[in-house]
Amino acid sequence: MTQKYSVLLLTTLALQAQGVFSDESAEASPAEPQHSVQVPQFAPYAVPEAALWEQFVGTMEPLWKRSRASKQDQNEDRYDGEWAVEEVVELAGVAGDKALVVKSEARHHAISARLDKPLDPAQNGVVLQYEVKLQNTLNCGGAYAKLLTSPMTGEFSDSTPYTIMFGPDKCGESKLHMIYRHLNPVTGNYTEHHLQKAPVPPTDSLTHLYTLVIGTNNSFVISIDGVEKKTGSLLEDFEPPVNPAREIDDPRDSKPVDWVDDEQVPDSSATKPEDWDEDAPAMVLDEDAAKPEKWLEDEPLMVEDPAAVKPEDWDDDEDGDWAPPMVANPRCADADGCGPWKRPLKRNADYKGPWSPPLIDNPAYKGKWAPRRIANPGYFEDLAVYKLAKIDAIGFELWTMQSGITFDNIYVGDNVETAERIAKNVWKPKHDTEVALREARNPRPVEKTKSKLDGVLELFKVRVGDISASVADFYGRVRHEGIVEAVRQDRSGAIAVVMAVGGLVWLAWNLVALVRFIVGLASPAPPAPVPATNAPNASPDATASTSARTSASYSAAVKRKTKKSS
């Protein structure tokens, strides 16, 4: 039965998927624009008093420098991904507009630039805003920026200290990273604090604007395309919390040997009642049951087939004495049962099972033990977390399976109004033009009613795409960093590999079931099997005898077939 359901499921998915994919192919085909879209020409936009304002009007160097950091204990570059400053190709919302573009697939990329002037978050907070455009469909890759801690020295890499990391990332699931590093005044070490419940960034091919504002009251605001997506406090919305607990469990404290923490114990004064029968059976014969009126006790369940004829090639010496095969007794079809009737069992009302004393409150109970609390030697209280480490550079340190990730109009400073003007005068016209170009290229198709199965298939396709992206990313990490490091850094990718292998095994099993099902349809039907009894009180002797005679007939038939062929 399971094989039939599997075959039915596979066939349905195949037919539906064929229809869905063919429909999508038709919808995805670019149509001729219905009208022309006026694309504005690029013009530099002045932003005074910024720590950094980058529109990539010139060449990449000397401001932007690719990392030449080498792999550990090796001479080759660790970051072998290529970068370029070039005009946008996919849905260019501004003619002649250049941007910083990731050019390599399945590579590590790292590039950084010094700020025009250092930025001290303790003075007026921090504002980081930049555009991201995914010119190619992104299955797995990052597009986040790092504001690097002053002073930045050496080649930029993943070990370079940073103050803030912010931006979108997608590998399986999409999320918007927001991480800040805080200096522990007790230990002197920095700790990363990650935003909880991060917003989900868009993943289409339009240019999207990401804005982070950190205020001097420990507040933060995250916006996407000028719309607030997350607000909160640096003290409350990050994990782990900045300020540790005042008290902690004493690690030197241990539970005393004589500590009693059992709330209840068996009552030692209780005795088993005299009428408690531990040997009483759980089930007894139902004395109230009566044999059904239509029960044919003298009729056997199986009888010889009256229509059977001894085969002409039956050899009594080799095959034994011939006997007709057994078939279900037709007289039992309309009866309540055939063969000897037996009284059924019922639950014993007197059954109580093994006796055990009841539980009572433990007079020696002291309560649940817990270690004593002591003052936390690592305790501190910082109520001005916004006073983060000074910043003197920005960098993009990424791993991506797709090229075409594009960065533009990067603003680093402390003026919220300046960021809003950039959004209004630079990003908004570009984004609106891209939307118009997309609609002109792909006019909306006539909506059709989708069935529930279509929705299931859509979700199935999304999940398969996410798993495929995670597997591809994990494979890339294995190639570059080894299996141990890949598993350590990408647990979700390792899980995706296991899921993919399990899915392939399931698919292979169902394909085998489908082949067997098709072959079964094309093969002649086998002889009808001898039906088994459905009478719960029938004698097993008749069934055993019938099974023996059927097996003997089958063995004789096999011998005759073998003798003929030889």
Side-chain angles (χ1 to χ4, degrees):
M1 185 64 72
T2 302
Q3 291 183 357
K4 290 183 178 179
Y5 285 143
S6 300
V7 169
L8 180 59
L9 175 62
L10 276 173
T11 306
T12 303
L13 285 175
L15 293 176
Q16 288 290 332
Q18 182 180 8
V20 171
F21 294 144
S22 61
D23 290 346
E24 285 189 351
S25 299
E27 293 174 5
S29 300
E32 291 298 326
Q34 301 298 314
H35 58 278
S36 60
V37 177
Q38 189 69 30
V39 178
Q41 186 68 32
F42 172 77
Y45 185 79
V47 177
E49 302 300 322
L52 177 71
W53 170 238
E54 178 61 272
Q55 288 191 289
F56 300 99
V57 294
T59 59
M60 184 168 62
E61 296 180 346
L63 178 60
W64 291 89
K65 296 182 178 180
R66 278 188 55 189
S67 173
R68 298 300 178 185
S70 59
K71 296 181 180 180
Q72 187 174 7
D73 301 327
Q74 298 182 29
N75 294 325
E76 58 182 300
D77 288 345
R78 177 178 182 181
Y79 298 97
D80 51 358
E82 297 292 334
W83 298 85
V85 171
E86 61 186 21
E87 293 187 22
V88 174
V89 176
E90 175 63 23
L91 284 179
V94 176
D97 184 19
K98 292 184 178 181
L100 180 65
V101 183
V102 171
K103 300 296 292 181
S104 305
E105 298 180 351
R107 292 290 186 273
H108 283 98
H109 298 73
I111 195 168
S112 61
R114 295 278 181 179
L115 303 185
D116 296 334
K117 60 180 181 179
L119 179 64
D120 185 2
Q123 299 301 315
N124 298 302
V126 177
V127 179
L128 169 60
Q129 179 173 276
Y130 66 102
E131 296 174 359
V132 175
K133 183 181 182 67
L134 307 176
Q135 298 193 65
N136 300 322
T137 301
L138 183 64
N139 292 323
C140 185
Y144 41 82
K146 291 181 178 180
L147 297 182
L148 306 179
T149 303
S150 176
M152 180 205 169
T153 58
E155 290 291 338
F156 174 47
S157 70
D158 60 347
S159 60
T160 301
Y162 68 88
T163 300
I164 296 171
M165 179 175 135
F166 172 72
D169 185 22
K170 179 185 180 184
C171 217
E173 62 177 4
S174 298
K175 68 180 299 184
L176 189 62
H177 288 292
M178 165 45 183
I179 307 170
Y180 69 86
R181 296 173 72 247
H182 178 266
L183 179 63
N184 186 315
V186 176
T187 65
N189 298 324
Y190 279 92
T191 302
E192 291 183 352
H193 301 273
H194 296 247
L195 176 63
Q196 301 181 82
K197 299 179 181 179
V200 177
T203 56
D204 54 35
S205 59
L206 299 176
T207 297
H208 293 284
L209 187 68
Y210 296 91
T211 309
L212 169 65
V213 178
I214 295 180
T216 54
N217 59 351
N218 294 320
S219 66
F220 73 91
V221 179
I222 293 175
S223 301
I224 301 177
D225 296 344
V227 179
E228 290 186 3
K229 297 296 184 179
K230 182 81 174 180
T231 61
S233 168
L234 298 177
L235 290 167
E236 300 173 359
D237 296 290
F238 289 78
E239 185 64 32
V242 172
N243 296 315
R246 290 178 179 271
E247 293 184 337
I248 60 173
D249 292 340
D250 186 352
R252 297 166 298 180
D253 193 16
S254 59
K255 185 170 70 172
V257 178
D258 60 348
W259 187 277
V260 179
D261 51 11
D262 295 325
E263 293 187 39
Q264 291 187 317
V265 293
D267 185 358
S268 58
S269 62
T271 58
K272 184 174 68 172
E274 294 182 0
D275 60 347
W276 191 288
D277 186 1
E278 290 186 330
D279 298 326
M283 304 294 290
V284 294
L285 292 175
D286 186 359
E287 299 296 341
D288 297 327
K291 183 175 68 175
E293 294 182 2
K294 294 185 178 182
W295 189 283
L296 305 179
E297 201 162 9
D298 296 331
E299 289 289 341
L301 288 170
M302 307 296 291
V303 295
E304 293 182 351
D305 186 358
V309 179
K310 179 179 179 181
E312 295 181 359
D313 57 350
W314 186 280
D315 190 332
D316 290 337
D317 294 334
E318 292 187 6
D319 302 331
D321 295 333
W322 180 83
M326 304 297 287
V327 296
N329 190 344
R331 296 182 180 179
C332 299
D334 298 327
D336 292 329
C338 289
W341 179 80
K342 293 182 180 180
R343 193 178 301 277
L345 296 175
K346 69 175 184 178
R347 186 175 298 278
N348 186 358
D350 297 329
Y351 174 74
K352 296 181 179 180
W355 180 85
S356 59
L359 297 177
I360 60 173
D361 292 339
N362 188 355
Y365 177 61
K366 295 183 178 181
K368 295 297 182 183
W369 183 86
R372 62 174 171 266
R373 303 284 287 178
I374 60 173
N376 185 356
Y379 174 75
F380 66 87
E381 185 177 41
D382 185 354
L383 299 180
V385 181
Y386 71 91
K387 295 181 179 180
L388 300 171
K390 294 181 180 180
I391 302 162
D392 69 357
I394 185 173
F396 297 98
E397 190 262 324
L398 315 168
W399 161 265
T400 177
M401 292 299 295
Q402 282 75 39
S403 61
I405 301 175
T406 305
F407 304 96
D408 200 5
N409 296 320
I410 304 171
Y411 170 73
V412 180
D414 54 19
N415 194 306
V416 176
E417 289 75 16
T418 298
E420 291 175 345
R421 286 196 300 271
I422 293 172
K424 177 181 178 181
N425 299 320
V426 180
W427 170 79
K428 188 68 163 57
K430 176 193 293 188
H431 182 267
D432 291 348
T433 303
E434 291 177 352
V435 172
L437 288 171
R438 184 178 65 177
E439 292 181 352
R441 177 190 296 180
N442 301 312
R444 293 182 180 180
V446 178
E447 294 186 1
K448 62 178 183 178
T449 304
K450 289 188 175 182
S451 66
K452 292 183 178 180
L453 183 57
D454 290 330
V456 173
L457 289 171
E458 289 291 340
L459 180 60
F460 177 75
K461 285 171 52 188
V462 171
R463 291 290 180 263
V464 170
D466 290 344
I467 292 175
S468 300
S470 297
V471 171
D473 178 56
F474 184 75
Y475 174 70
R477 289 183 184 274
V478 170
R479 288 183 56 194
H480 287 80
E481 302 172 1
I483 182 66
V484 176
E485 187 67 17
V487 171
R488 188 182 68 84
Q489 295 188 7
D490 189 6
R491 298 287 179 85
S492 61
I495 294 173
V497 171
V498 175
M499 293 176 63
V501 172
L504 291 174
V505 172
W506 177 86
L507 181 60
W509 185 88
N510 281 279
L511 288 175
V512 171
L514 178 61
V515 172
R516 293 177 61 184
F517 178 75
I518 295 174
V519 171
L521 291 178
S523 302
V530 177
T533 178
N534 60 351
N537 300 309
S539 172
D541 297 336
T543 303
S545 175
T546 301
S547 176
R549 294 181 60 179
T550 303
S551 300
S553 300
Y554 176 75
S555 300
V558 171
K559 290 180 181 179
R560 293 198 306 275
K561 185 174 181 181
T562 305
K563 181 171 64 176
K564 285 183 176 181
S565 57
S566 59

